[in-house]
Amino acid sequence: MDRDQGAMPPLDGLAQACEALVEAHLERNEFQGLGQSTRHAISLNGDSASEVAAFRQTMWMLMCWLVAVRAWVPETAVPEAIAWIERRYGRQAAASATTHATILDLQGAPLGEIHLDEDQPERIASWAQLLAGLCVTQGDGSVSWLRQFDPPEPDAAMLAWLEERERPGWRPRPWPPDPRQLPDIRRKLIAYLDDPETRWERAQMAEEGVVRLIPRTDSPGLAGDLLTDYELQRLAKARLYVVDPDMCQVAARKAARPRTAPISAHRVPAPFGFLLFTEPMPLSLPGQSGGPRGEIVAASWGRWDPSEWEDGWWQVAEDGTLSESKSPSEAHWWITLYEESADDGEPGDRPQPPMEPHQPYLVHAGNILAQTANEGQLPHAARAVIACWDLITQERIGKPLTETTTVERKPSKTRADRRRGIEDDGTVHLVTIRGRAAPSPDQPQAALPHQRTTINYQHRWTVQEHSRSHCMNPAGHAENNCNHEDITILEFVKGPAGAPFLRRDIVHILRKIGP
């Protein structure tokens, strides 16, 4: 693919070159290193600036194909293509394809942000393999099948971007980061928190009452150090999770609803964890209905024993007044919410992670969270974390709702983590909603369970997503010999297959009453 000085080739020529790239992956029977295989397939004219433009143009065409194909094929198509990649190339290639496929779930994300890493050949190779798998599992087995999804000619603004040969300078961080970067983000975050300058800043925040829960001590420096040390312990032991945009949306809706059963330890996926939202939770200024202040992009949690600090803890009100924090005897979890840090600032010795601690939130076993929570407020963001716990652990009570794919860290990097005091092995757990598909009036529906079909329904209708208090021992329910679990029921279509779809549109008629 010759690209003189980054000039955009004719659209058909670019499509043919990308077609040959996918064909190379389709014909290869053995996986050969992502970067090497892609660099071999793309011929560049000498300088790194032309390379930037070449990768931009290649990624643009591959992404246009993938987005168009995904809009046409069923929801199960991408998992089937990844299974094909695993059979053909092995688990490493399948894990990489899974990672890079998550980028496509950014609904409406600017193309420039998706391609900020345009000089990375791994994404091109993974997307080419995904397209090869889709050709086999959804098409006729030939790469020419993709040409029906060719994009229109780019407009002037897009063409200028595609022909740009300079690497991007400073920009706001794209979100989300590559899931495989999460162990490195954790390592950088630990170094950032342990830096003397950060510790001093945390001490200032404790003294000024910015942090709402602080150790009871007369020394702001000691309070800041204790808060930092506890958070470092949580991060070092944390199991790493990345939840996809669809699950973020389900968690946000669930967080707004009252919970139907108390929180318990078996509904927390790991004693210590660090979870990244691929779709951040909005956060507004206190007392403001509009104007977001920022976004909660991640959260850590860990078992917390308030008695570890014998002098007790202060609860800090918004006006700065202190009151003794009275903690019940049940198990506690300390959740630290993290806000996006959009600018690296001036380069210096202190590491600059893409996020920074915002506020803690405490939850204990037996909490019901029976009130509603408004989006944009701190409790809603924290309850979105708890909602993710519930969604991930529904399989423990026989109601699985999510699927998890693991991406393992290289052993050499895990050993380096160990030397830095990180106890977790760096495996990233990518969590998605299981078999997610939007209901459609024409979608075939399975028959309802026998115990639910005593009524002879004549129509089908949509049951909205909701939470339910699920009895774990129906036989003992009347005698109160049972316990209940909070479960989420996703939106589904109810009624016999083939029955007409009942639509319940509500029409409000406004009219003047009286003279």
Side-chain angles (χ1 to χ4, degrees):
M1 184 184 297
D2 293 327
R3 301 181 183 176
D4 187 19
Q5 300 299 315
M8 177 80 170
L11 188 65
D12 185 65
L14 177 60
Q16 289 181 14
C18 292
E19 190 177 355
L21 177 62
V22 177
E23 183 73 34
H25 286 278
L26 188 61
E27 292 180 348
R28 187 178 297 115
N29 292 320
E30 182 178 352
F31 179 64
Q32 303 178 357
L34 294 170
Q36 182 180 2
S37 65
T38 305
R39 289 188 183 276
H40 177 73
I42 301 178
S43 147
L44 300 168
N45 282 340
D47 62 11
S48 60
S50 296
E51 179 179 337
V52 171
F55 277 117
R56 287 188 183 199
Q57 295 161 19
T58 302
M59 291 183 72
W60 175 76
M61 177 59 73
L62 296 179
M63 193 192 77
C64 287
W65 279 347
L66 275 169
V67 171
V69 170
R70 287 195 65 180
W72 183 78
V73 299
E75 290 288 332
T76 57
V78 172
E80 290 174 6
I82 292 175
W84 177 87
I85 292 172
E86 181 171 3
R87 291 193 300 270
R88 192 174 184 89
Y89 299 126
R91 293 181 61 186
Q92 178 190 352
S96 180
T98 300
T99 299
H100 290 294
T102 62
I103 299 298
L104 298 176
D105 291 326
L106 283 172
Q107 299 296 326
L111 185 67
E113 293 190 5
I114 294 179
H115 290 78
L116 276 180
D117 57 347
E118 67 274 8
D119 59 336
Q120 292 186 6
E122 289 190 358
R123 178 154 294 161
I124 292 178
S126 290
W127 283 4
Q129 289 169 352
L130 276 170
L131 287 166
L134 290 167
C135 288
V136 172
T137 59
Q138 305 297 322
D140 58 6
S142 66
V143 181
S144 59
W145 175 77
L146 292 171
R147 296 302 303 275
Q148 63 183 306
F149 302 105
D150 282 1
E153 291 283 349
D155 58 25
M158 178 58 67
L159 184 62
W161 188 85
L162 289 169
E163 293 183 344
E164 175 60 55
R165 299 167 65 238
E166 295 296 327
R167 294 180 183 275
W170 179 90
R171 301 185 188 183
R173 292 181 185 273
W175 199 264
D178 189 318
R180 291 173 301 176
Q181 296 176 359
L182 191 54
D184 293 322
I185 291 174
R186 189 246 307 268
R187 177 178 53 79
K188 186 179 289 189
L189 192 55
I190 287 176
Y192 168 79
L193 292 174
D194 202 26
D195 186 88
E197 184 178 351
T198 308
R199 284 181 175 270
W200 179 84
E201 291 174 352
R202 299 287 285 175
Q204 292 296 109
M205 293 170 66
E207 184 177 21
E208 295 169 4
V210 176
V211 181
R212 298 301 183 205
L213 187 66
I214 59 174
R216 191 171 181 174
T217 173
D218 294 331
S219 169
L222 178 58
D225 281 341
L226 286 170
L227 289 171
T228 299
D229 290 341
Y230 286 141
E231 183 63 16
L232 290 174
Q233 292 174 19
R234 285 187 285 271
L235 289 172
K237 298 178 181 180
R239 181 182 296 174
L240 303 178
Y241 292 91
V242 176
V243 294
D244 76 343
D246 186 26
M247 182 164 167
C248 289
Q249 294 169 17
V250 174
R253 292 192 295 268
K254 182 176 179 63
R257 298 192 297 263
R259 210 167 184 279
T260 63
I263 295 173
S264 57
H266 71 280
R267 296 302 299 272
V268 182
F272 298 88
F274 186 67
L275 183 144
L276 183 132
F277 294 114
T278 54
E279 187 168 294
M281 300 293 159
L283 189 66
S284 301
L285 281 166
Q288 277 192 322
S289 59
R293 177 179 67 176
E295 293 178 321
I296 298 299
V297 298
S300 68
W301 72 83
R303 290 292 291 266
W304 180 63
D305 183 359
S307 65
E308 288 182 2
W309 182 246
E310 295 180 354
D311 293 338
W313 293 75
W314 288 119
Q315 189 76 41
V316 185
E318 290 188 7
D319 60 2
T321 57
L322 301 178
S323 60
E324 185 178 356
S325 176
K326 299 184 182 299
S327 302
S329 58
E330 291 86 354
H332 287 70
W333 293 271
W334 178 298
I335 300 173
T336 301
L337 299 172
Y338 281 82
E339 190 175 9
E340 183 178 10
S341 175
D343 190 350
D344 279 341
E346 295 295 327
D349 295 333
R350 183 166 61 159
Q352 293 291 334
M355 61 189 72
E356 57 186 359
H358 178 67
Q359 281 290 354
Y361 186 89
L362 292 184
V363 62
H364 63 82
N367 272 153
I368 298 181
L369 305 178
Q371 297 79 24
T372 58
N374 296 325
E375 186 180 85
Q377 296 180 351
L378 182 69
H380 178 270
R383 284 170 60 162
V385 179
I386 299 170
C388 288
W389 294 355
D390 289 333
L391 296 172
I392 293 171
T393 58
Q394 270 198 204
E395 64 178 0
R396 297 181 181 178
I397 57 174
K399 299 291 182 181
L401 192 65
T402 61
E403 292 180 331
T404 301
T405 303
T406 57
V407 179
E408 297 180 358
R409 190 155 168 81
K410 291 182 179 179
S412 60
K413 291 188 175 182
T414 301
R415 290 192 294 270
D417 289 343
R418 293 281 192 267
R419 291 192 292 271
R420 294 181 174 90
I422 298 174
E423 300 178 27
D424 179 67
D425 64 3
T427 298
V428 179
H429 298 75
L430 304 172
V431 189
T432 60
I433 296 295
R434 172 177 295 195
R436 182 64 156 170
S440 165
D442 301 321
Q443 178 181 345
Q445 298 295 317
L448 295 174
H450 178 72
Q451 66 273 19
R452 300 291 181 92
T453 56
T454 54
I455 301 175
N456 185 21
Y457 296 116
Q458 301 298 318
H459 296 84
R460 287 182 295 161
W461 66 97
T462 300
V463 178
Q464 300 297 321
E465 177 183 302
H466 60 281
S467 299
R468 188 174 77 193
S469 178
H470 180 71
C471 179
M472 301 299 293
N473 181 23
H477 184 81
E479 292 78 24
N480 202 26
N481 183 26
C482 63
N483 65 296
H484 285 234
E485 297 284 353
D486 181 281
I487 67 171
T488 298
I489 308 297
L490 299 179
E491 182 180 280
F492 67 96
V493 175
K494 186 173 182 178
F501 201 83
L502 181 63
R503 300 189 182 276
R504 296 181 176 177
D505 296 331
I506 299 176
V507 178
H508 297 276
I509 301 176
L510 302 179
R511 62 179 181 177
K512 183 178 180 180
I513 301 178

